[in-house]
Amino acid sequence: MSEVKDDSLAELNDLGSLLELPEELSRESALGERLSALLESLNTANPDRTRLRTVANLYHANEYDREAKCLYDWLIASAEDDLERARLNYLAAQLVKEKGDSEGAMSYLETSVAAYDGYGLALAQLGEARFKEGSLDTAAELFQQAKSIDRELASAYVGLARVFERRGEIEQMVKELESVLEFDAVNSSALALLSQVYARLGDEKRAYEASEAIEYSAGVPENDPWFQEVIDAIYDVQRLDFLFLDYFTLNRFEEALPYLERMEALDPENPRYSRYRAVMYMGFGYYEKAEEELREGLAKGGAADVFYPLLVKSLSLRGNKEEAERTARAAAERFGASGELNLEWSRLLVEQGAYEEALSVLERGIESDPYSLELHFARARLGMKKGKIDQANESLRMLRQLAPMDAEAMVRAALVLMEAGRFGEALPFLQQSHQVAPFYDEAIELLSDAHYELGLEAVKSRKVDEALERFEKSLALRPRRMDALGARAQVAVQAGRFQEAELALRALLSAAGDRPGILIVYGDVLFRNRKLEEAREVWNVALRLVPNEGSESELRRELKARLEQTSSLGAGEG
């Protein structure tokens, strides 16, 4: 049995003092009404423990901390069942930990684990407490025990990894953290620690990839069945909103929905919940239901600049383009067009082929919201597509000013130019992206593409040096890129630069494998470079690879001719 703190003794001796509604809580509120009914139904002489625990949960969930702690202590002191005692101590630990009492939390957790050592989260949390006080061996044992109970308890793996880090056992640390990512690929704690350790080990690429993944990591707490009874007792819509958003922002709508339903019950006239529900319906493809929710949200006083863009988008996705456009025009006339409304409206106009009007709508949108990246992306794409180059370039310049450290935004801007065949103009955006995020694959790929395309342009203009330089830059980013390897070799051969051609063809064969068509050219280049024996060997390899079926192929005849013509030449003659 846990030790009862002194400030709880009076309340434990007189349970009746805890079974009165707190003075600051109105009986007319939803929580006040629920608590009043429960308290009035309790017999103070012999209270029903299930109801009393519900009261404790309600106090805990809604930040009546003194009352919650006293009731937990009373229930713990009078518990006869080990499992119940363990769960109550665990809940009390969460309560005092939320208020910064780490010593009290550890005391409750120790009692919880002593009563029942089969709940992984209790073991992991006690392990964390022991780790913080420096008891590494005890912490490691607790984390290992937690892992044995729940093989997907991320906090146990992360805790054990930190023990290994403190001991200097980095290989074991990495193993634990990588194990987390096998079942929870976006665990932010594991990714953050991996990023740090990879950086210390000098593995910059993996450090970057781990740090980038943190941006998309889930903020959803670990599944905690013992604590769920407290979560289910929350009556504070703000706290429920935070829990809801943990799932909603990750598009985990089914898990978010119970929290939304509880918020709606507590605050039925709040238009924000209509927006939440509409977005979820749109995510499921239920556009008519989404539109009903959006109109209801507007009727409840929802902001026009928030609800109308969503309504236009939903109507458009449902295929009701005419009504979507009418709605956009009517909203713009009545409330003024926000940047977001203009963006959705412009998309409708583009689908209809009304490009000039779409550009005008985007211009108005940018006047309304000059810092909107999406409006500038839309104007840049459309302007470039329809020959409005000045407008497109203005938006591209703005994008570079607004988001110079956003590698993805710089790539998107570059794509606008590359789709228009303006590869040279795309380079500064791609180089900026690559500088900000050196291991961002899409930037690397597109930068390689841009250099390759510029190389082809140089070939057409008969600028051999520039072409070869561009192909080299493309290959520096993607060394086994077949088209660039082939183009570099072809340009070098055609320019009579056989030393360069030999190296280029060797790289091409290394990437492509032995192919007769490449081998014959490679042999020719070796011959030109006065390497007769090597040339003949290469031609013989090519000849063996060409099928000899029926009539002899042109390639076989060419190879045989080369071998015959050089059979009488001495080594080193060309």
Side-chain angles (χ1 to χ4, degrees):
M1 185 181 298
S2 69
E3 180 185 347
V4 177
K5 308 295 187 249
D6 291 342
D7 61 358
S8 299
L9 287 174
E11 286 85 354
L12 291 176
N13 292 329
D14 182 13
L15 181 61
S17 65
L18 295 175
L19 304 185
E20 297 176 1
L21 199 68
E23 291 182 4
E24 62 270 32
L25 180 59
S26 168
R27 283 180 175 271
E28 282 70 41
S29 67
L31 175 60
E33 186 177 339
R34 174 85 188 282
L35 270 172
S36 295
L38 280 167
L39 295 172
E40 289 168 7
S41 70
L42 283 167
N43 179 346
T44 56
N46 184 27
D48 179 90
R49 291 185 64 82
T50 301
R51 292 185 181 182
L52 200 57
R53 183 160 157 178
T54 301
V55 172
N57 293 155
L58 286 163
Y59 282 146
H60 182 175
N62 298 284
E63 301 187 316
Y64 292 92
D65 301 326
R66 185 193 69 82
E67 292 85 349
K69 183 179 180 303
C70 290
L71 275 179
Y72 281 144
D73 284 342
W74 191 93
L75 286 162
I76 290 166
S78 58
E80 297 179 356
D81 175 79
D82 283 344
L83 182 58
E84 183 192 14
R85 187 177 299 111
R87 292 185 71 146
L88 286 164
N89 272 284
Y90 179 77
L91 294 178
Q94 309 312 307
L95 175 69
V96 299
K97 184 168 67 174
E98 290 167 8
K99 303 306 170 187
D101 183 0
S102 55
E103 184 179 342
M106 184 159 66
S107 176
Y108 280 120
L109 285 169
E110 285 174 334
T111 308
S112 176
V113 169
Y116 175 74
D117 62 359
Y119 192 55
L121 268 172
L123 290 161
Q125 290 183 18
L126 184 55
E128 178 69 17
R130 289 301 191 193
F131 173 82
K132 287 179 178 178
E133 70 173 14
S135 303
L136 299 187
D137 291 344
T138 303
E141 288 175 9
L142 288 162
F143 290 133
Q144 289 284 17
Q145 191 177 350
K147 280 174 57 181
S148 70
I149 292 168
D150 185 349
R151 302 308 300 181
E152 294 190 357
L153 185 61
S155 57
Y157 288 84
V158 171
L160 191 56
R162 292 171 66 195
V163 171
F164 286 130
E165 181 184 30
R166 188 74 63 85
R167 290 173 173 169
E169 299 174 29
I170 302 304
E171 186 176 341
Q172 286 298 109
M173 174 194 180
V174 171
K175 182 179 177 182
E176 292 296 324
L177 295 172
E178 289 180 343
S179 295
V180 174
L181 301 184
E182 290 176 7
F183 60 82
D184 185 3
V186 290
N187 184 282
S188 57
S189 297
L191 288 166
L193 286 171
L194 275 173
S195 179
Q196 293 169 20
V197 74
Y198 287 149
R200 292 204 301 270
L201 294 171
D203 192 338
E204 294 182 5
K205 186 174 191 299
R206 296 179 78 183
Y208 166 78
E209 289 171 346
S211 66
E212 284 295 292
I214 294 171
E215 182 180 351
Y216 308 101
S217 63
V220 178
E222 287 185 293
N223 184 37
D224 189 349
W226 280 12
F227 194 64
Q228 191 62 43
E229 62 188 69
V230 174
I231 293 174
D232 291 341
I234 294 173
Y235 274 73
D236 182 333
V237 291
Q238 187 172 11
R239 295 183 71 190
L240 287 170
D241 206 354
F242 288 140
L243 289 166
F244 167 81
L245 289 171
D246 281 341
Y247 298 100
F248 179 78
T249 53
L250 297 170
N251 294 329
R252 293 169 61 168
F253 296 144
E254 291 184 3
E255 294 160 282
L257 188 57
Y259 298 107
L260 177 58
E261 290 172 342
R262 287 163 62 189
M263 289 190 288
E264 289 171 329
L266 292 167
D267 189 6
E269 294 305 310
N270 193 323
R272 184 166 75 252
Y273 307 146
S274 296
R275 177 170 64 85
Y276 287 159
R277 194 172 279 276
V279 171
M280 287 197 291
Y281 279 138
M282 289 169 70
F284 290 126
Y286 302 145
Y287 300 117
E288 290 188 47
K289 288 183 175 293
E291 290 150 27
E292 290 174 9
E293 289 293 337
L294 290 166
R295 290 191 170 96
E296 184 175 332
L298 285 164
K300 291 176 180 177
D305 61 348
V306 172
F307 280 82
Y308 275 110
L310 284 171
L311 182 55
V312 170
K313 183 176 182 178
S314 181
L315 288 164
S316 178
L317 288 170
R318 184 157 63 92
N320 198 341
K321 309 291 185 182
E322 291 183 4
E323 186 178 351
E325 187 176 352
R326 282 197 302 272
T327 301
R329 291 183 187 280
E333 290 174 7
R334 184 175 177 187
F335 303 104
S338 65
E340 192 66 26
L341 178 61
N342 276 310
L343 181 62
E344 294 299 335
W345 187 2
S346 73
R347 288 168 176 162
L348 281 169
L349 293 167
V350 168
E351 288 181 22
Q352 298 166 13
Y355 301 120
E356 292 291 338
E357 187 177 1
L359 276 169
S360 297
V361 167
L362 287 169
E363 291 288 345
R364 293 197 295 272
I366 289 170
E367 288 175 10
S368 173
D369 186 359
Y371 306 114
S372 166
L373 296 184
E374 292 305 320
L375 281 165
H376 283 295
F377 277 123
R379 184 173 70 163
R381 280 193 301 270
L382 186 55
M384 198 63 70
K385 180 178 180 180
K386 304 313 295 180
K388 305 291 185 180
I389 306 302
D390 289 344
Q391 289 172 286
N393 284 337
E394 183 183 346
S395 275
L396 290 169
R397 282 193 297 272
M398 280 299 297
L399 287 167
R400 201 165 182 195
Q401 290 177 29
L402 292 170
M405 303 305 290
D406 186 334
E408 185 179 354
M410 293 299 94
V411 161
R412 290 177 64 191
L415 278 170
V416 171
L417 291 159
M418 292 177 75
E419 288 167 1
R422 304 169 83 97
F423 300 103
E425 294 170 60
L427 278 180
F429 293 94
L430 293 170
Q431 289 162 344
Q432 175 75 8
S433 179
H434 189 46
Q435 182 179 350
V436 170
F439 302 104
Y440 181 29
D441 281 338
E442 191 167 0
I444 293 169
E445 190 69 42
L446 289 173
L447 194 51
S448 177
D449 287 345
H451 282 302
Y452 173 71
E453 294 293 342
L454 288 168
L456 294 181
E457 290 180 6
V459 170
K460 290 178 183 177
S461 301
R462 304 193 179 197
K463 298 176 181 177
V464 174
D465 289 335
E466 183 181 337
L468 289 172
E469 183 183 354
R470 290 295 182 186
F471 294 141
E472 289 291 347
K473 287 182 176 180
S474 178
L475 289 167
L477 295 157
R478 284 285 184 261
R480 297 180 69 83
R481 180 178 177 139
M482 295 295 297
D483 52 2
L485 285 166
R488 180 180 64 172
Q490 184 179 4
V491 169
V493 169
Q494 290 174 347
R497 298 186 180 186
F498 297 117
Q499 296 295 332
E500 294 176 60
E502 181 181 336
L503 296 174
L505 285 162
R506 191 179 303 156
L508 178 60
L509 286 165
S510 175
D514 287 345
R515 296 185 185 181
I518 302 173
L519 286 167
I520 191 172
V521 178
Y522 184 43
D524 292 349
V525 168
L526 288 169
F527 182 73
R528 291 275 192 170
N529 289 334
R530 310 182 75 81
K531 297 178 180 180
L532 176 59
E533 289 184 7
E534 290 181 49
R536 287 178 59 79
E537 184 180 343
V538 168
W539 288 329
N540 273 308
V541 171
L543 187 62
R544 288 194 295 271
L545 291 172
V546 179
N548 185 15
E549 298 174 355
S551 60
E552 195 166 55
S553 70
E554 181 66 27
L555 184 56
R556 282 185 67 84
R557 287 195 294 272
E558 288 184 19
L559 286 163
K560 283 184 174 182
R562 282 166 170 75
L563 290 165
E564 289 171 4
Q565 291 165 6
T566 58
S567 61
S568 61
L569 295 177
E573 294 183 35

